[in-house]
Amino acid sequence: MKRILSVGRIHKIFEAVNEALREAGFTVVRSRSATYAKWLLRKDQHDMVLIGPGILTQERALLIDCATRTCPNARIAVLNMQHDSNPVPLADAALSIDAGTGTIVHALRLALQQPKKLAPNLSAKLLCVCATQSAAVLRRKALEEEGYEVASVTTLQELEATCRSNVFDLVVIGPAVGPRMKLSISDVLRKCRCYSPMLELGRTSPEIANARAVTETNHYEWLLAIAQLLSEKVEQR
């Protein structure tokens, strides 16, 4: 029996689609928030993630990115409102919610039978450098909720030891890390031959040469910046 994680706010037509899927023999696990859906993705494997209305574009992008990491074989399907014509990267199916329950169930059944779209970055290991231990714990928790494998450090000694025994896809530097510390971090990374992309949080422009920066004005901004950097890295291979 195929298992579908259905994510979306309360919507009459969307609930009708979920009921039609159950009647068609699917197991439907319901989530009204992207945050809870990410927890469910880490808890169990699903054959499809169905994203319905009410999930913001930024939330949807991060949910899809998380799903490709934690459930790499799951199909991704999106139900748009009729006026929403934005493309959905990595979605195996994108339909209008006004298409009708029968048409939607048929399309989702077909999507489950088609080859899975290949995600550019199915896994990623991040190194998070923070000024304090409490900040490191919070940052690590937020990144792990997105499906990343995360190591966090707060000192140069920890940084060097961690880099000598691990290979990272991206280095994330917290907003409270000072300019001098950042230069020392850069020196340690070169010493350890860690040439991974770097992202400085809380900055309009980077203080480390060749790094990227993001102002971190909201929760989604820096998470989307991380996903974008990882995608660019894979595309350059």
Side-chain angles (χ1 to χ4, degrees):
M1 184 179 293
K2 296 294 185 180
R3 185 182 181 92
I4 298 176
L5 174 57
S6 178
V7 190
R9 308 284 197 268
I10 296 175
H11 187 286
K12 183 177 180 180
I13 301 177
F14 189 48
E15 296 303 333
V17 170
N18 289 321
E19 185 58 33
L21 287 168
R22 293 188 183 96
E23 292 176 356
F26 296 100
T27 297
V28 179
V29 180
R30 191 73 172 85
S31 172
R32 291 188 173 88
S33 75
T35 300
Y36 183 54
K38 292 171 188 174
W39 181 83
L40 291 171
L41 284 168
R42 297 194 302 275
K43 179 175 178 290
D44 298 300
Q45 289 295 306
H46 298 80
D47 298 289
M48 174 175 281
V49 179
L50 173 62
I51 305 175
I55 303 300
L56 300 175
T57 301
Q58 291 176 318
E59 288 182 303
R60 185 174 68 185
L62 291 173
L63 178 57
I64 292 174
D65 189 69
C66 179
T68 61
R69 299 174 192 285
T70 53
C71 284
N73 295 319
R75 308 300 193 273
I76 306 295
V78 176
L79 293 182
N80 289 314
M81 300 300 288
Q82 190 171 18
H83 62 274
D84 186 356
S85 58
N86 293 324
V88 184
L90 298 182
D92 297 276
L95 305 161
S96 168
I97 198 169
D98 295 326
T101 57
T103 298
I104 292 172
V105 170
H106 178 68
L108 298 182
R109 193 188 296 277
L110 289 178
L112 284 166
Q113 296 171 356
Q114 299 300 316
K116 167 66 182 168
K117 281 190 176 181
L118 181 63
N121 51 329
L122 292 181
S123 62
K125 190 170 185 177
L126 309 186
L127 173 59
C128 192
V129 186
C130 296
T132 65
Q133 189 62 39
S134 58
V137 171
L138 292 174
R139 191 75 63 185
R140 180 171 184 166
K141 182 176 183 294
L143 290 169
E144 287 178 340
E145 287 177 352
E146 298 301 316
Y148 297 110
E149 182 180 351
V150 185
S152 58
V153 300
T154 58
T155 68
L156 294 176
Q157 292 78 9
E158 291 176 343
L159 176 65
E160 183 169 354
T162 302
C163 286
R164 290 196 181 282
S165 57
N166 294 275
V167 176
F168 296 98
D169 297 289
L170 179 67
V171 178
V172 181
I173 302 175
V177 177
R180 290 186 179 180
M181 182 64 170
K182 287 180 180 178
L183 293 178
S184 298
I185 289 169
S186 181
D187 290 340
V188 170
L189 293 175
R190 283 198 301 270
K191 179 181 177 182
C192 297
R193 297 186 178 183
C194 177
Y195 302 111
S196 304
M198 287 182 281
L199 178 66
E200 295 183 44
L201 304 183
R203 304 294 302 172
T204 56
S205 59
E207 295 173 314
I208 300 176
N210 301 319
R212 295 280 189 89
V214 62
T215 56
E216 199 188 20
T217 54
N218 63 57
H219 178 74
Y220 302 116
E221 185 177 358
W222 62 275
L223 291 175
L224 288 170
I226 288 172
Q228 180 62 37
L229 270 173
L230 291 171
S231 296
E232 290 177 5
K233 181 181 178 182
V234 172
E235 290 169 0
Q236 292 170 0
R237 289 176 181 174

mmCIF file of all heavy atoms in Angstrom, residues 67-86:
data_model
loop_
_atom_site.group_PDB
_atom_site.id
_atom_site.type_symbol
_atom_site.label_atom_id
_atom_site.label_comp_id
_atom_site.label_asym_id
_atom_site.label_seq_id
_atom_site.Cartn_x
_atom_site.Cartn_y
_atom_site.Cartn_z
ATOM 1 N N ALA A 67 12.643 16.766 1.700
ATOM 2 C CA ALA A 67 12.122 15.468 1.261
ATOM 3 C C ALA A 67 13.121 14.732 0.377
ATOM 4 O O ALA A 67 13.262 13.510 0.464
ATOM 5 C CB ALA A 67 10.801 15.662 0.524
ATOM 6 N N THR A 68 13.834 15.467 -0.484
ATOM 7 C CA THR A 68 14.806 14.809 -1.373
ATOM 8 C C THR A 68 15.975 14.227 -0.594
ATOM 9 O O THR A 68 16.647 13.309 -1.081
ATOM 10 C CB THR A 68 15.337 15.786 -2.432
ATOM 11 O OG1 THR A 68 15.994 16.883 -1.789
ATOM 12 C CG2 THR A 68 14.227 16.313 -3.315
ATOM 13 N N ARG A 69 16.211 14.742 0.627
ATOM 14 C CA ARG A 69 17.301 14.223 1.446
ATOM 15 C C ARG A 69 16.851 13.056 2.318
ATOM 16 O O ARG A 69 17.539 12.042 2.415
ATOM 17 C CB ARG A 69 17.859 15.330 2.344
ATOM 18 C CG ARG A 69 18.421 16.508 1.591
ATOM 19 C CD ARG A 69 18.823 17.640 2.557
ATOM 20 N NE ARG A 69 19.098 18.839 1.809
ATOM 21 C CZ ARG A 69 20.201 19.042 1.099
ATOM 22 N NH1 ARG A 69 21.118 18.106 1.062
ATOM 23 N NH2 ARG A 69 20.378 20.159 0.424
ATOM 24 N N THR A 70 15.720 13.235 2.976
ATOM 25 C CA THR A 70 15.288 12.244 3.961
ATOM 26 C C THR A 70 14.478 11.102 3.353
ATOM 27 O O THR A 70 14.475 9.999 3.884
ATOM 28 C CB THR A 70 14.458 12.929 5.059
ATOM 29 O OG1 THR A 70 13.409 13.684 4.452
ATOM 30 C CG2 THR A 70 15.315 13.886 5.874
ATOM 31 N N CYS A 71 13.779 11.357 2.245
ATOM 32 C CA CYS A 71 13.032 10.314 1.526
ATOM 33 C C CYS A 71 13.373 10.414 0.036
ATOM 34 O O CYS A 71 12.536 10.857 -0.770
ATOM 35 C CB CYS A 71 11.529 10.475 1.726
ATOM 36 S SG CYS A 71 10.923 9.936 3.327
ATOM 37 N N PRO A 72 14.601 10.065 -0.355
ATOM 38 C CA PRO A 72 15.046 10.303 -1.731
ATOM 39 C C PRO A 72 14.239 9.575 -2.795
ATOM 40 O O PRO A 72 14.259 9.984 -3.961
ATOM 41 C CB PRO A 72 16.503 9.815 -1.720
ATOM 42 C CG PRO A 72 16.607 8.903 -0.540
ATOM 43 C CD PRO A 72 15.656 9.448 0.475
ATOM 44 N N ASN A 73 13.526 8.524 -2.429
ATOM 45 C CA ASN A 73 12.729 7.786 -3.414
ATOM 46 C C ASN A 73 11.283 8.269 -3.499
ATOM 47 O O ASN A 73 10.513 7.780 -4.331
ATOM 48 C CB ASN A 73 12.748 6.289 -3.095
ATOM 49 C CG ASN A 73 14.135 5.689 -3.243
ATOM 50 O OD1 ASN A 73 14.851 6.021 -4.187
ATOM 51 N ND2 ASN A 73 14.517 4.827 -2.317
ATOM 52 N N ALA A 74 10.913 9.193 -2.645
ATOM 53 C CA ALA A 74 9.529 9.682 -2.643
ATOM 54 C C ALA A 74 9.281 10.615 -3.819
ATOM 55 O O ALA A 74 10.113 11.463 -4.153
ATOM 56 C CB ALA A 74 9.234 10.410 -1.340
ATOM 57 N N ARG A 75 8.116 10.470 -4.461
ATOM 58 C CA ARG A 75 7.710 11.411 -5.491
ATOM 59 C C ARG A 75 7.226 12.698 -4.823
ATOM 60 O O ARG A 75 6.709 12.665 -3.716
ATOM 61 C CB ARG A 75 6.587 10.837 -6.356
ATOM 62 C CG ARG A 75 6.865 9.451 -6.950
ATOM 63 C CD ARG A 75 8.106 9.450 -7.839
ATOM 64 N NE ARG A 75 8.194 8.246 -8.631
ATOM 65 C CZ ARG A 75 8.764 7.111 -8.232
ATOM 66 N NH1 ARG A 75 9.266 7.042 -7.014
ATOM 67 N NH2 ARG A 75 8.833 6.063 -9.026
ATOM 68 N N ILE A 76 7.397 13.793 -5.523
ATOM 69 C CA ILE A 76 6.948 15.096 -5.013
ATOM 70 C C ILE A 76 5.821 15.587 -5.912
ATOM 71 O O ILE A 76 5.989 15.708 -7.123
ATOM 72 C CB ILE A 76 8.082 16.136 -5.017
ATOM 73 C CG1 ILE A 76 9.311 15.608 -4.268
ATOM 74 C CG2 ILE A 76 7.593 17.446 -4.417
ATOM 75 C CD1 ILE A 76 9.103 15.383 -2.803
ATOM 76 N N ALA A 77 4.664 15.872 -5.321
ATOM 77 C CA ALA A 77 3.527 16.390 -6.084
ATOM 78 C C ALA A 77 3.026 17.667 -5.414
ATOM 79 O O ALA A 77 2.967 17.753 -4.190
ATOM 80 C CB ALA A 77 2.401 15.359 -6.153
ATOM 81 N N VAL A 78 2.671 18.640 -6.240
ATOM 82 C CA VAL A 78 2.220 19.933 -5.733
ATOM 83 C C VAL A 78 0.863 20.265 -6.330
ATOM 84 O O VAL A 78 0.663 20.150 -7.548
ATOM 85 C CB VAL A 78 3.233 21.050 -6.090
ATOM 86 C CG1 VAL A 78 2.701 22.408 -5.649
ATOM 87 C CG2 VAL A 78 4.579 20.768 -5.439
ATOM 88 N N LEU A 79 -0.067 20.661 -5.467
ATOM 89 C CA LEU A 79 -1.365 21.144 -5.912
ATOM 90 C C LEU A 79 -1.384 22.658 -5.765
ATOM 91 O O LEU A 79 -1.322 23.190 -4.654
ATOM 92 C CB LEU A 79 -2.490 20.516 -5.086
ATOM 93 C CG LEU A 79 -2.700 19.012 -5.254
ATOM 94 C CD1 LEU A 79 -3.879 18.559 -4.402
ATOM 95 C CD2 LEU A 79 -2.928 18.655 -6.704
ATOM 96 N N ASN A 80 -1.427 23.355 -6.896
ATOM 97 C CA ASN A 80 -1.431 24.811 -6.898
ATOM 98 C C ASN A 80 -2.852 25.356 -6.920
ATOM 99 O O ASN A 80 -3.771 24.706 -7.423
ATOM 100 C CB ASN A 80 -0.688 25.342 -8.128
ATOM 101 C CG ASN A 80 0.811 25.102 -8.033
ATOM 102 O OD1 ASN A 80 1.417 25.354 -7.013
ATOM 103 N ND2 ASN A 80 1.402 24.607 -9.114
ATOM 104 N N MET A 81 -3.005 26.551 -6.413
ATOM 105 C CA MET A 81 -4.232 27.275 -6.682
ATOM 106 C C MET A 81 -4.235 27.625 -8.166
ATOM 107 O O MET A 81 -3.187 27.685 -8.811
ATOM 108 C CB MET A 81 -4.303 28.558 -5.841
ATOM 109 C CG MET A 81 -4.254 28.310 -4.340
ATOM 110 S SD MET A 81 -5.600 27.267 -3.735
ATOM 111 C CE MET A 81 -6.981 28.395 -3.872
ATOM 112 N N GLN A 82 -5.374 27.874 -8.730
ATOM 113 C CA GLN A 82 -5.494 28.052 -10.180
ATOM 114 C C GLN A 82 -4.613 29.181 -10.704
ATOM 115 O O GLN A 82 -4.042 29.098 -11.788
ATOM 116 C CB GLN A 82 -6.947 28.320 -10.567
ATOM 117 C CG GLN A 82 -7.195 28.266 -12.072
ATOM 118 C CD GLN A 82 -8.685 28.326 -12.382
ATOM 119 O OE1 GLN A 82 -9.489 28.715 -11.560
ATOM 120 N NE2 GLN A 82 -9.058 27.924 -13.580
ATOM 121 N N HIS A 83 -4.462 30.270 -9.904
ATOM 122 C CA HIS A 83 -3.706 31.426 -10.382
ATOM 123 C C HIS A 83 -2.207 31.281 -10.173
ATOM 124 O O HIS A 83 -1.428 32.130 -10.595
ATOM 125 C CB HIS A 83 -4.176 32.691 -9.656
ATOM 126 C CG HIS A 83 -3.943 32.649 -8.173
ATOM 127 N ND1 HIS A 83 -4.842 32.089 -7.304
ATOM 128 C CD2 HIS A 83 -2.905 33.075 -7.424
ATOM 129 C CE1 HIS A 83 -4.381 32.177 -6.063
ATOM 130 N NE2 HIS A 83 -3.207 32.772 -6.108
ATOM 131 N N ASP A 84 -1.752 30.201 -9.496
ATOM 132 C CA ASP A 84 -0.339 30.026 -9.199
ATOM 133 C C ASP A 84 0.331 29.294 -10.350
ATOM 134 O O ASP A 84 0.152 28.103 -10.536
ATOM 135 C CB ASP A 84 -0.175 29.229 -7.898
ATOM 136 C CG ASP A 84 1.276 29.145 -7.452
ATOM 137 O OD1 ASP A 84 2.147 29.639 -8.187
ATOM 138 O OD2 ASP A 84 1.521 28.589 -6.367
ATOM 139 N N SER A 85 1.121 30.031 -11.132
ATOM 140 C CA SER A 85 1.768 29.433 -12.304
ATOM 141 C C SER A 85 3.273 29.320 -12.126
ATOM 142 O O SER A 85 4.005 29.079 -13.076
ATOM 143 C CB SER A 85 1.474 30.288 -13.552
ATOM 144 O OG SER A 85 1.936 31.617 -13.355
ATOM 145 N N ASN A 86 3.788 29.510 -10.881
ATOM 146 C CA ASN A 86 5.225 29.428 -10.649
ATOM 147 C C ASN A 86 5.707 27.995 -10.846
ATOM 148 O O ASN A 86 5.068 27.043 -10.386
ATOM 149 C CB ASN A 86 5.563 29.873 -9.224
ATOM 150 C CG ASN A 86 5.283 31.345 -9.007
ATOM 151 O OD1 ASN A 86 5.482 32.141 -9.914
ATOM 152 N ND2 ASN A 86 4.823 31.702 -7.824
#
